[in-house]
Amino acid sequence: METHEGWIMDRNEAQAALGAVNDARARLAQTMHCPPWRHAAFGAVVAVLIAANALPRSMFAPLFVISMATTISLVRSDRRRTGTFVNGWRRGRTLPLSGGLFVVLLALIFMARRGQATAFLTPQGAVAIALAFAIGTAASVLWQRVYLAELRSGAGA
């Protein structure tokens, strides 16, 4: 038996608690499937952030505000739909994916800003925006797959 701050847990209670955690993980894995629009919405948020850097400076603040407001809406939507929101920077198998996406997005920002001395969208900026949408959407789908696999492996499935 182990004691912890005045309470005692025996082996059976510990196994029951672990079983409850695994059951919760399995239930979460069943409800965490995002609809396709959710992945596309994340891709759009990423594309708008890149557009904020590709378009004239006067567009940065409004586009940044739009991307942040959309992010807040997605968090609220996730919480309504699944009862939770899972942060992309959580520890686990998804962290390298989130870090890799961050590095790619930094590269796209530099690409979008290249030749931005003009008052218009440059070809590099347009390509960076399109790539950001495609990469953001694909990363969201991949992130979900990795996260669900992690939940299932932790749940003993």
Side-chain angles (χ1 to χ4, degrees):
M1 279 196 226
E2 293 191 28
T3 62
H4 181 70
E5 295 183 26
W7 57 273
I8 300 172
M9 180 180 283
D10 66 20
R11 183 178 207 72
N12 292 336
E13 289 173 326
Q15 286 177 338
L18 185 56
V21 168
N22 286 338
D23 289 345
R25 282 177 175 245
R27 282 192 311 277
L28 189 58
Q30 291 173 353
T31 63
M32 288 301 292
H33 290 278
C34 295
W37 68 262
R38 172 58 174 81
H39 300 297
F42 179 78
V45 166
V46 170
V48 170
L49 283 172
I50 299 303
N53 288 279
L55 293 169
R57 290 283 164 236
S58 62
M59 296 299 296
F60 182 85
L63 289 173
F64 184 79
V65 168
I66 289 169
S67 68
M68 293 302 105
T70 304
T71 299
I72 291 168
S73 295
L74 288 174
V75 169
R76 288 180 177 168
S77 171
D78 286 352
R79 287 189 175 145
R80 272 192 311 271
R81 199 170 26 78
T82 67
T84 188
F85 173 77
V86 182
N87 184 327
W89 292 103
R90 57 179 289 284
R91 287 184 298 170
R93 297 179 194 163
T94 57
L95 187 57
L97 178 60
S98 296
L101 178 61
F102 179 75
V103 170
V104 168
L105 293 179
L106 285 177
L108 289 174
I109 287 171
F110 288 116
M111 180 180 177
R113 287 185 172 189
R114 186 172 179 164
Q116 194 195 26
T118 67
F120 303 101
L121 180 63
T122 64
Q124 297 95 331
V127 169
I129 293 167
L131 284 172
F133 177 76
I135 291 168
T137 302
S140 179
V141 170
L142 180 60
W143 195 98
Q144 176 182 269
R145 287 181 185 162
V146 170
Y147 178 67
L148 292 176
E150 183 179 356
L151 278 177
R152 288 184 187 113
S153 70

